[in-house]
Amino acid sequence: MPGMRFAFHCRKKPNPTGKKVAIVGAGPAGLSAAGYLVCRGHEVHIYDKLPEPGGLMLFGIPEFRIPIYRVREGCAELENAFEVKFYPRTKVIEEEKPEEGDDFVTKTITLSELIEKYDAVLIATGTWESKLPKIPGMELEGVLPALGYLFRIKSAKLGHLDWSDVTPVDGKRAMVVGAGHTAVDAAMESLLLGAEEVYMSYRRTIREAPAGAYEINLLRQRGVKWLELTMPVRIIGEDRVRGVELVKAELSEPDESGRRKPVPIEGSNFEVEVDYVIFAVGQRPTPPGRIALDRWGNILVDKRHMTSVEGVFAAGDVVTGPSKVGQAVLDGLYAAKSMHAWLMGVEE
């Protein structure tokens, strides 16, 4: 299987335009935009908070979905053949906003500094924050956001973290809440790490699972216990998790959108003993600030992918919300096309 190409619009670097572009985020949207822009002759610099480029493709998605070497080969081509400059371990922040330390960040730079330094900026920071429910017991040791859980596993596999920094689920019981691809990946990784028992709790049925019945059934064949039409209402424990209280649910009649909502069944509560609860119930966008957002926290853009700040564009999950890698790649390409037109002062 060949490496993943991001600069697939050309075979060699064209004559320079004299324009410099900064891309914030080295995930699929940022990398595909970089490939398009260098193929149009622009100088491209990519800033990312992680120790190497790839974003969630590399640090959040297990290798059985996207092989590590494919992403690394594509990034190496951008750097070596097309002279894209990468600034790893560098987080772009909002002015005068206190920042808590990330695992790998060693340097910060403000968005205003990038806007002043470059002819155009593309924000492609994705959705790095997990959504968590507001139920009792969420503060207990053993409650984990799925994305952070997968991130540390992949960081260890990539050699950026020691395995002692990864949650030790071997010989333990884990429950994954959710039924999307992130939930499936968290359940599979738990099995591979030697968990004694793995449960998946989902508030709808297997037919409504975002990951698809095929993937859920594969996990069931590997011993994962599927708890459909269930919702956690309390994490049980004192200092750390020792179980989950769930309530059974039934689906309502379809609403105006055509979807049936889960409705708790009164008096149907039950408990499951587990050592870890891994929540995979959605992710939030993580923009660097100073940009207009919609009510879900996504960056607002016009038809050109330009934000509320002239010359600052945005693409990928930070605009659309969580999506598949292919969709983020396409969104990055569309944004790059608009950026090129804007930089050159021509109509698309």
Side-chain angles (χ1 to χ4, degrees), residues 299-310:
I299 293 179
L300 286 168
V301 296
D302 61 19
K303 63 181 181 181
R304 301 169 299 167
H305 277 77
M306 191 179 289
T307 70
S308 57
V309 178
E310 183 74 8

Side-chain angles (χ1 to χ4, degrees), residues 15-239:
N15 294 328
T17 63
K19 302 291 186 180
K20 288 175 62 176
V21 175
I23 295 177
V24 186
L31 292 171
S32 66
Y36 184 94
L37 291 166
V38 292
C39 284
R40 296 299 180 272
H42 306 303
E43 183 178 346
V44 177
H45 296 181
I46 303 180
Y47 294 80
D48 195 89
K49 65 180 183 177
L50 300 175
E52 64 174 300
L56 282 175
M57 287 188 297
L58 204 61
F59 286 85
I61 299 176
E63 193 173 6
F64 59 80
R65 292 195 190 277
I66 300 180
I68 292 170
Y69 81 91
R70 293 192 67 204
V71 180
R72 281 178 165 168
E73 284 184 4
C75 294
E77 182 189 32
L78 283 178
E79 184 172 25
N80 299 326
F82 295 93
E83 299 179 340
V84 170
K85 176 69 175 177
F86 288 96
Y87 292 89
R89 302 176 183 267
T90 304
K91 187 170 183 178
V92 177
I93 62 172
E94 185 176 359
E95 289 75 6
E96 300 179 2
K97 178 182 177 182
E99 293 289 325
E100 295 183 1
D102 287 84
D103 282 306
F104 302 114
V105 171
T106 58
K107 183 181 178 182
T108 60
I109 187 170
T110 67
L111 185 58
S112 288
E113 289 177 290
L114 293 184
I115 293 171
E116 184 176 341
K117 184 177 179 181
Y118 292 90
D119 296 295
V121 176
L122 174 69
I123 299 173
T125 48
T127 51
W128 279 94
E129 183 182 342
S130 292
K131 294 179 180 179
L132 296 173
K134 295 180 180 180
I135 59 175
M138 291 297 293
E139 75 287 352
L140 295 175
E141 182 182 351
V143 175
L144 306 170
L147 190 57
Y149 175 64
L150 293 171
F151 172 76
R152 298 190 81 76
I153 293 171
K154 280 300 295 287
S155 296
K157 289 182 178 180
L158 292 166
H160 298 300
L161 279 182
D162 190 271
W163 279 102
S164 62
D165 295 318
V166 176
T167 302
V169 298
D170 52 304
K172 304 295 184 180
R173 302 158 299 179
M175 177 178 292
V176 178
V177 181
H181 289 293
T182 301
V184 166
D185 293 345
M188 178 62 77
E189 291 287 15
S190 297
L191 289 175
L192 295 175
L193 289 177
E196 179 182 319
E197 287 184 314
V198 179
Y199 297 85
M200 286 188 75
S201 167
Y202 183 50
R203 57 183 183 168
R204 293 186 170 90
T205 72
I206 195 170
R207 292 185 298 276
E208 286 90 17
Y214 175 76
E215 292 211 48
I216 300 295
N217 280 325
L218 281 180
L219 288 176
R220 293 170 71 185
Q221 291 170 18
R222 287 168 170 76
V224 172
K225 298 175 182 179
W226 174 251
L227 302 174
E228 66 179 0
L229 291 170
T230 60
M231 297 185 290
V233 294
R234 179 171 65 100
I235 310 300
I236 303 168
E238 294 180 6
D239 294 326

